[in-house]
Amino acid sequence: MTFRDLNLKKPLWNALDDLGYETPTTIQAASFNVMMSGKDTIGIAQTGTGKTLAYILPCLCMWKFSKEPHPQILIIVPTRELVAQVVREVEKLTPYMNVAVGGVYGGTNMNTQAAMVLQGLDVLVGTPGRILDLAANGSLQLKHAKKVVIDEVDETLSLGFRAQLLRIFEFLPVKRQNMVFSATLSEEVSDFLEANFTVPVRVEAARSGTALAQIDQIGYRVPNFLSKVQLLHYLLDNTADSSKVLVFVQSRVLADMLFEEMESSLLNSVGVIHSNKAQNFRFNSVQNFQTGVFRVLIATDLIARGIDVTDVTHVINFDIPEIPENYIHRIGRTGRADKNGVAITFVSEKDADALSKIESLMQQELPFTEVPSEVEMTEELLEFEKPVAQIPGKLLKLAKREVGPAFHEKKAKNKKVNVRYDHKKAMMDKYGKPKRKRN
Ligand code: AMP
């Protein structure tokens, strides 16, 4: 099947020709006719499956020119990176159409965005909070929206945007077509759909929770941070065709730590991106990774979701994700649009639980490979990896901070030192042998 087999409009075919896109991906082929029939749709598709085009194409195909300056197509996404990406995808498809598209997101000046909205838009892409603010202050009118897409609804809900979504619905006309996309059909997503939509048609790129078939998955058992760094160096030096490597870590602090470790050997070909970095820095890092200036990009989960990078050769999970669905999202960044990719995961002993959750979500085991003998493993743990000393059930109290001498001498009665009652010792003193307390 080619895009010519879909009942598209000429300007869209021309744009697709320019882009060199010939064949629709699975989700695009599966959802097109359903969406064109006007029915509410729920698409189960991960990033990298071509899901963005899967909803943009029918939306643009059904779009009709109108003198109304208010958006007919509203696309709600969880992060500002994704806003930028979706706006770009719409722009790529509309060089031959008279469609105005704009993106709005929080953390930037609202007046500038309000002015852009007031100038008139056909397609508005935005994060829930900012869309709501603009609708509430009257800059944005949503009553003309005919198509409403909620992309990555699972992430949107897990970021706590449920209330904002429901309030946005109040601004929307009752008669509209909803298209909801999610990487997985979690309980939270199912509940949300059930409560807000009447029997949507379900289309899937891959079965909910299945890893994409064209991704080769490999696991390595690695005990700690420093050993992981060694293995990462080794893999980068010894893996053929590892020209675009996306490395995932668990936290912003770890992202910065790993960046420092890798910077000396990779020099200017490694970048880092997480939500503590300024917007410009984030866009530049992604740009450098996309254009090949950076061979390696170190990222945290949330940020990596929205970034638009193609042809990622390898995804490396330096840390295993705690939320199993994130594993699917992460590895979905390689093997994009039906291309082959490799996903490598470093697993330490403490990750056993997280690994088994991922494996049961995928309904398959992660195949493990021996760490090559050249890689120097160490037992040394960094401060954050050291186990916290614990009394069963209680955390050890940290030593009190030193403070200067008190203003006044304590009164004699307050000078008494508190001695903890030790039942075992009391029994020993009394009976000369340990005695159990009776219940
Ligand atoms: P997505 O899953 O929406 O993040 O898309 C992944 C990437 O694949 C994007 O850069 C798209 O532009 C690209 N893409 C989407 N559909 C196709 C297609 N049918 N053929 C080739 N590339 C595509």
Side-chain angles (χ1 to χ4, degrees), residues 6 22 349:
L6 301 183
E22 286 172 9
E349 243 171 52

Side-chain angles (χ1 to χ4, degrees), residues 224-237:
N224 49 40
F225 182 85
L226 292 174
S227 305
K228 288 179 181 180
V229 170
Q230 294 306 323
L231 180 58
L232 183 57
H233 276 302
Y234 176 88
L235 292 173
L236 290 174
D237 290 345

Side-chain angles (χ1 to χ4, degrees), residues 3 16 19-25 27-28 46-55 82 85 89 92 151 305 307-310 332-333 336-339:
F3 279 115
L16 288 165
L19 290 167
Y21 296 174
E22 286 172 9
T23 326
T25 62
I27 188 73
Q28 290 162 4
Q46 298 100 17
T47 309
T49 53
K51 68 179 170 65
T52 321
L53 238 69
Y55 60 77
L82 201 51
Q85 181 184 335
E89 292 272 310
K92 276 182 353 194
D151 195 0
R305 271 179 178 247
I307 62 178
D308 182 22
V309 277
T310 46
R333 305 310 311 232
R336 294 166 67 91
D338 297 344
K339 287 194 188 103

Side-chain angles (χ1 to χ4, degrees), residues 21 50 59 81 83 100 140 155 195 199 205 243 251 274 353 375 404 407 432:
Y21 296 174
C59 280
E81 275 76 15
V83 171
L140 171 64
E155 181 64 9
V199 221
S243 54
S251 68
H274 58 65
D353 228 28
V375 180
F407 262 141

